[in-house]
Amino acid sequence: MDKFFSQPLTEKLKAQGKPGELCGYASSFTGRFSTKLPWKETLSMRFTPQEQENDHKIYMLQKMGDSFLDFGKVYQDYCDSMNKLSLGIMELLGISLGVGKNHFKEFFQGNDSIMRLNYYPICQKPELTLGTGPHCDPTSLTILHQDDVGGLQVFVNNQWRSITPDTQAFVVIIGDTFMALSNGKYKSLLHRAVVNSETPRKSLAFFLCPDNQKLLVPPKELINKESPRMYPDFTWEMFLEFTQMHRSDEKTLDAFTNWIQHRTNC
């Protein structure tokens, strides 16, 4: 990450994605959050275990040149490991919900996920901004590795609480898509990132996402008279498109549900 983010802006812009694309370099997401402009830089890469043409080595070679070939290999290996870890977590989630260890693991075997490098520069007036505004991840599962600089905060019991960084551990966050798949049994987590005036912060986020066209339907074991369907059927592609057009906050899934229902009624 140091190798990439310490470059002059002109070099980093070689990896800039096209408008609306998830992949590539970005200096902020100013249109997506409803409070305070984000103070961050990111580099995002697509990960699809079933498609070799999206290999990170090839991606970085095309975008940044030969000197970034090893960079691409490192993140390809990292994503392979995060994919295996994500599927293992899905086994545990399936067991905890009483649908068996294979249900969600098999659902996510073919996934279309996102790897993101987050860099939060020093900010001289951190009280005027946020690294990332309050939001719930629209994805299914986030596996976050932080450096030793604090900044991640979660909203619990009506207050923001800081998560003490541990470089030997991952933070696992449930996202909106899995909340829909679990019929609301698991809740997506409202969180944000703050910045400081002394030390830059870095983190790695692997976002597990379903295959774009796979229909998100909770298992029948989670639907009954006491627990009726909370969300309509939808695909990850539909939800992702909605999040790109609307600001992100803790109500994105509810807004998306209302949008689908309104469109269906029309």
Side-chain angles (χ1 to χ4, degrees), residues 17-266:
K18 297 178 182 178
E21 283 187 344
L22 289 176
C23 296
Y25 171 77
S27 57
S28 70
F29 296 101
T30 54
R32 291 195 55 214
F33 298 99
S34 56
T35 58
K36 296 187 177 180
L37 297 181
W39 187 267
K40 68 188 296 188
E41 297 178 59
T42 62
L43 178 66
S44 303
M45 295 169 278
R46 183 183 175 204
F47 174 78
T48 50
Q50 63 273 25
E51 295 183 17
Q52 291 303 311
E53 63 264 33
N54 293 302
D55 188 293
H56 293 344
K57 298 188 294 293
I58 298 173
Y59 175 83
M60 291 308 298
L61 189 64
Q62 292 174 339
K63 291 286 187 177
M64 303 298 295
D66 294 347
S67 63
F68 276 84
L69 181 61
D70 289 341
F71 179 101
K73 182 180 185 306
V74 165
Y75 286 106
Q76 183 70 32
D77 292 344
Y78 188 86
C79 284
D80 287 337
S81 295
M82 291 300 101
N83 181 58
K84 292 176 183 176
L85 178 58
S86 297
L87 296 180
I89 292 172
M90 282 299 161
E91 285 188 341
L92 298 176
L93 292 174
I95 292 170
S96 73
L97 289 168
V99 300
K101 70 176 185 179
N102 291 325
H103 182 89
F104 293 118
K105 180 181 180 181
E106 291 175 356
F107 183 87
F108 284 100
Q109 283 284 357
N111 58 74
D112 199 339
S113 298
I114 303 163
M115 175 73 213
R116 180 165 295 155
L117 285 59
N118 298 308
Y119 176 70
Y120 302 92
I122 293 172
C123 180
Q124 297 304 319
K125 295 184 177 181
E127 70 280 0
L128 298 181
T129 188
L130 288 167
T132 305
H135 68 288
C136 295
D137 291 339
T139 52
S140 300
L141 193 73
T142 303
I143 301 181
L144 184 72
H145 176 58
Q146 306 182 85
D147 63 10
D148 57 2
V149 180
L152 176 64
Q153 295 184 338
V154 299
F155 195 68
V156 180
N157 296 327
N158 293 315
Q159 62 178 308
W160 288 105
R161 299 183 179 225
S162 296
I163 301 297
T164 302
D166 182 350
T167 58
Q168 300 302 309
F170 294 110
V171 177
V172 179
I173 297 173
I174 297 292
D176 282 343
T177 309
F178 192 78
M179 181 163 69
L181 274 175
S182 69
N183 201 34
K185 303 296 184 191
Y186 275 95
K187 309 298 182 184
S188 52
L189 178 69
L190 182 62
H191 58 288
R192 68 183 186 183
V194 298
V195 293
N196 68 81
S197 59
E198 298 177 357
T199 311
R201 174 175 175 260
K202 297 183 288 290
S203 67
L204 300 172
F206 181 83
F207 300 101
L208 180 70
C209 312
D211 178 83
N212 274 345
Q213 300 302 322
K214 187 166 283 189
L215 201 62
L216 280 84
V217 182
K220 60 182 184 300
E221 293 92 333
L222 303 181
I223 305 169
N224 51 52
K225 290 183 178 179
E226 291 73 31
S227 300
R229 281 290 300 271
M230 292 186 65
Y231 306 101
D233 296 351
F234 63 92
T235 64
W236 168 235
E237 184 176 53
M238 291 169 60
F239 189 36
L240 182 60
E241 182 180 348
F242 180 85
T243 65
Q244 299 303 302
M245 296 185 299
H246 299 79
R247 294 186 184 275
S248 297
D249 58 22
E250 71 273 24
K251 302 295 185 182
T252 302
L253 184 56
D254 290 341
F256 173 70
T257 298
N258 293 335
W259 178 75
I260 286 184
Q261 292 172 341
H262 175 75
R263 193 173 67 167
T264 301
N265 292 335
C266 290

